[in-house]
């Protein structure tokens, strides 16, 4: 029944989660869940996108995708809505792993349609994956100043979604401080990541004079929902380039889920270790956090 | 977190049936949203979603059936790119129907499920201190900006204009 267990453990976290939730239960029977989603989608689409001008020249666009997500979370948290509970939350999470496929398929069709772009801009696409390493140089020193110890290695080496969590747990062991660090990043990223990157992209797109394709490539940070949330404002800012932007996001995703994992294993984690060894004696604070909390 | 990484099961007919039903429900919601938000015709959108669902289904099935250690995301990407490749006989039809579906319609429905799914983690999230939030925000911002800046520099160096 269970095949090649050691290998599946590392990269197939998505699969296991989906299968456990989808193969055993009959998730389509959760009418309450799907009807709630339908109602949220209708509300979001009727309201449509909003633009808020922060200061002169800086507009933040709030897309319908944020409404549905925040309302979805609210449905779970509001006790009066009894038909959305822990069980529905689990079903939604399992179903979401399947629905990522639709998103990826849509981006892939745009990529195939614009395949010439990869030949013209291959170098930029490949090298921007290395740009992800910036997190080590920016977040690691701050983590040390804030008093984190070896947790910082897990917290700052990458974006910390499922594949990276599996890599860190595999390397350091489940109960290590490094794994504790990436669990914290995973949980906080799950809750605030999508909303944050959507606002952050809006601000970057209106403030920074970078190439539109650069924003498109950058949106493939290695998380399907963050990618989607980041694409929203990018497409809103450059509507004429929609297909190309989707194409780059598609290519970038493909890279993030293949080459990037090896970059994390062979470059990011060793680099984080090195930098930690170098910086910790200089700016690390005296073990304030042995308990891992604050 | 332990439950995230444990045993897997083989595909059963029952499983595929569940996937098809879930994808159908998802497709219907997306098509309704797509119609309200972007006024795309319902019939063409349904065909578009059927194509995307089929690609997903094949990718997810391949991940579980083939003895390779490759994520379904890779399979789905490769199938999608191949079907829409300009010289493929399928490309015109696929591009026509799939372009009826706005990316943002898919994302809006997808994130509704994400929102409900993240509810489970809310308790753990509340227990995290502000320092954890600062680091997370920095990690996401620098990952994003890092690759945006690198991409911009390379695009400028290789002389790509808009």
């Amino acid at each position: 029944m269970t095949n090649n267990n050691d290998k599946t453990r590392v990269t197939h976290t998505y699969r296991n989660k989906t299968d456990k939730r989808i193969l055993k239960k009959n998730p389509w029977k959760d009418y309450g869940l799907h009807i709630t989603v339908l109602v949220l989608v209708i509300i979001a689409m009727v309201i449509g996108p909003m633009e808020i001008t922060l200061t002169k020249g800086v507009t933040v666009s709030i897309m319908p995708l944020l409404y549905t997500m925040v309302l979805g979370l609210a449905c779970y948290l509001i006790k009066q809505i009894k038909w959305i509970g822990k069980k529905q939350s689990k079903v939604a999470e399992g179903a979401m792993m399947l629905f990522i496929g639709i998103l990826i398929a849509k981006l892939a069709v745009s990529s195939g349609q614009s395949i010439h772009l990869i030949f013209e801009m291959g170098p930029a696409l490949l090298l921007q994956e290395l740009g992800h390493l910036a997190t080590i140089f920016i977040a690691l020193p701050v983590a040390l100043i804030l008093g984190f110890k070896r947790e910082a290695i897990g917290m700052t080496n990458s974006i910390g979604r499922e594949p990276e969590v599996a890599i860190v747990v595999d390397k350091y062991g489940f109960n290590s401080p490094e794994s504790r660090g990436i669990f914290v990043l995973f949980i906080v990223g799950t809750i605030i990541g999508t909303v944050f990157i959507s606002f952050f992209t809006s601000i970057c797109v209106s403030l920074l004079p970078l190439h539109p394709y650069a924003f498109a490539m950058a949106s493939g940070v290695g998380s399907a929902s963050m990618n989607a949330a980041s694409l929203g404002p990018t497409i809103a800012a450059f509507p004429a380039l929609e297909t190309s932007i989707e194409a780059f996001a598609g290519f970038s995703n493909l890279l993030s889920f293949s080459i990037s994992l090896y970059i994390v294993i062979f470059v990011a984690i060793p680099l984080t270790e090195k930098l930690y060894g170098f910086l910790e004696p200089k700016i690390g604070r005296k073990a304030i956090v042995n308990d891992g909390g604050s | 977190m332990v439950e995230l990484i444990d045993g897997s099961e083989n595909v059963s007919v029952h499983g595929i049936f569940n996937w098809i039903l879930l994808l159908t429900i998802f497709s219907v919601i997306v098509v309704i949203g797509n119609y309200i938000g972007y006024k795309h015709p319902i019939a063409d959108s349904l065909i578009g979603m059927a194509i995307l669902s089929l690609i997903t289904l094949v990718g997810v099935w391949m991940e579980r059936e083939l003895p390779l250690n490759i994520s379904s995301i890779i399979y789905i990407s490769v199938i999608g790119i191949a079907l829409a490749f300009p010289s493929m006989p399928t490309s015109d039809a696929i591009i026509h129907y799939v372009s009826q579906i706005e990316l943002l319609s898919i994302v809006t429905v997808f994130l509704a499920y994400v929102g409900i799914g993240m509810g489970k983690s809310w308790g753990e999230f509340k227990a995290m201190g502000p320092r954890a939030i600062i680091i997370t925000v920095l990690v996401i911002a620098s990952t994003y900006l890092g690759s945006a800046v690198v991409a911009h520099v390379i695009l400028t160096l290789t002389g790509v204009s808009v």
Side-chain angles (χ1 to χ4, degrees), chain B residues 1-75:
Chain B
M1 197 59 72
V2 192
E3 64 161 17
L4 206 143
I5 2 181
D6 54 10
S8 67
E9 290 142 77
N10 286 336
V11 182
S12 59
V13 178
H14 177 63
I16 291 186
F17 185 60
N18 276 355
W19 293 340
I20 293 175
L21 277 166
L22 268 178
L23 289 172
T24 310
I25 293 170
F26 185 78
S27 300
V28 169
I29 302 178
V30 170
V31 168
I32 295 173
N34 200 42
Y35 178 73
I36 299 174
Y38 301 95
K39 301 284 177 281
H40 285 301
I42 289 182
D44 283 10
S45 309
L46 275 173
I47 300 176
M49 281 309 288
I51 294 170
L52 294 178
S53 300
L54 207 62
I55 298 175
T56 305
L57 207 58
V58 172
V60 171
W61 180 83
M62 282 169 86
E63 180 191 22
R64 286 158 179 81
E65 284 298 280
L66 300 184
L68 304 166
N69 191 21
I70 297 176
S71 148
S72 58
I73 290 176
I74 311 276
Y75 286 123

Side-chain angles (χ1 to χ4, degrees), chain A residues 9 11-12 15-16 19 22-23 25 28 34 68 76 89 93 106 128 135 146 187 211 242 289 293, chain B residues 1 3 5-6 8 14-15 18 63-64 69 101-102 108 113 116-120 124 131 142 147 152:
Chain A
R9 284 188 42 182
T11 44
H12 284 340
R15 172 212 280 183
N16 296 338
D19 286 5
I22 294 182
L23 294 186
K25 292 161 192 154
W28 75 89
H34 302 301
T68 52
Y76 178 85
S89 186
E93 199 185 18
K106 164 74 181 166
Q128 58 87 22
T135 170
L146 289 177
I187 290 165
H211 199 290
E242 185 173 347
V289 259
Chain B
M1 197 59 72
E3 64 161 17
I5 2 181
D6 54 10
S8 67
H14 177 63
N18 276 355
E63 180 191 22
R64 286 158 179 81
N69 191 21
I101 312 283
E102 293 290 328
T108 306
Y113 284 98
I116 294 172
M118 73 172 56
K120 276 188 312 102
E124 294 170 83
R131 293 179 311 155
S142 50
S147 70
H152 177 75

Side-chain angles (χ1 to χ4, degrees), chain A residues 74-102:
Chain A
C75 283
Y76 178 85
L77 295 177
I78 296 170
K79 292 279 185 305
Q80 281 75 16
I81 301 179
K82 289 198 185 68
W83 61 93
I84 302 287
K86 198 149 198 153
K87 179 167 165 273
Q88 284 71 28
S89 186
K90 281 187 177 162
V91 172
E93 199 185 18
M96 166 194 127
M97 300 294 175
L98 185 63
F99 301 154
I100 286 177
I102 300 275

Side-chain angles (χ1 to χ4, degrees), chain A residues 203-272:
Chain A
I203 294 171
C204 287
V205 168
S206 61
L207 268 187
L208 300 176
L210 299 185
H211 199 290
Y213 293 165
F215 290 117
M217 292 178 192
S219 69
V221 286
S223 147
S225 49
M226 290 192 212
N227 179 7
S230 169
L231 276 178
T234 313
I235 293 176
F238 310 103
L241 299 171
E242 185 173 347
T243 307
S244 308
I245 289 173
E246 287 172 16
F248 283 121
F251 291 134
S252 173
N253 251 324
L254 189 54
L255 293 175
S256 288
F257 281 92
S258 49
I259 298 172
S260 271
L261 296 187
Y262 296 97
I263 297 182
V264 171
I265 296 172
F266 296 114
V267 184
I269 293 180
L271 188 63
T272 317

Side-chain angles (χ1 to χ4, degrees), chain A residues 104-263:
Chain A
I104 302 292
K106 164 74 181 166
L107 293 176
V109 168
S110 295
S111 299
Q113 197 179 341
S114 320
I115 195 85
H116 60 280
L117 291 175
I118 203 173
F119 299 119
E120 290 160 26
M121 295 165 212
L125 262 168
L126 281 172
L127 291 172
Q128 58 87 22
E129 291 292 323
L130 291 173
H132 293 174
L133 299 174
T135 170
I136 300 168
F137 299 100
I138 294 170
L140 181 66
V142 178
L144 290 173
I145 290 168
L146 289 177
F148 288 101
K149 292 284 149 186
R150 292 196 67 85
E151 292 89 353
I153 294 177
M155 281 182 95
T156 60
N157 68 68
S158 64
I159 194 89
R161 303 320 299 164
E162 280 92 341
E164 291 90 10
V165 170
I167 290 169
V168 168
V169 170
D170 195 55
K171 183 172 164 70
Y172 294 98
F174 194 81
N175 290 316
S176 59
E178 291 85 353
S179 294
R180 237 181 9 246
I182 200 161
F183 291 156
V184 168
L185 178 70
F186 179 83
I187 290 165
V188 179
T190 302
I191 304 283
I192 65 170
T194 317
V195 178
F196 171 73
I197 201 164
S198 180
F199 283 112
F200 189 66
T201 306
S202 274
I203 294 171
C204 287
V205 168
S206 61
L207 268 187
L208 300 176
L210 299 185
H211 199 290
Y213 293 165
F215 290 117
M217 292 178 192
S219 69
V221 286
S223 147
S225 49
M226 290 192 212
N227 179 7
S230 169
L231 276 178
T234 313
I235 293 176
F238 310 103
L241 299 171
E242 185 173 347
T243 307
S244 308
I245 289 173
E246 287 172 16
F248 283 121
F251 291 134
S252 173
N253 251 324
L254 189 54
L255 293 175
S256 288
F257 281 92
S258 49
I259 298 172
S260 271
L261 296 187
Y262 296 97
I263 297 182

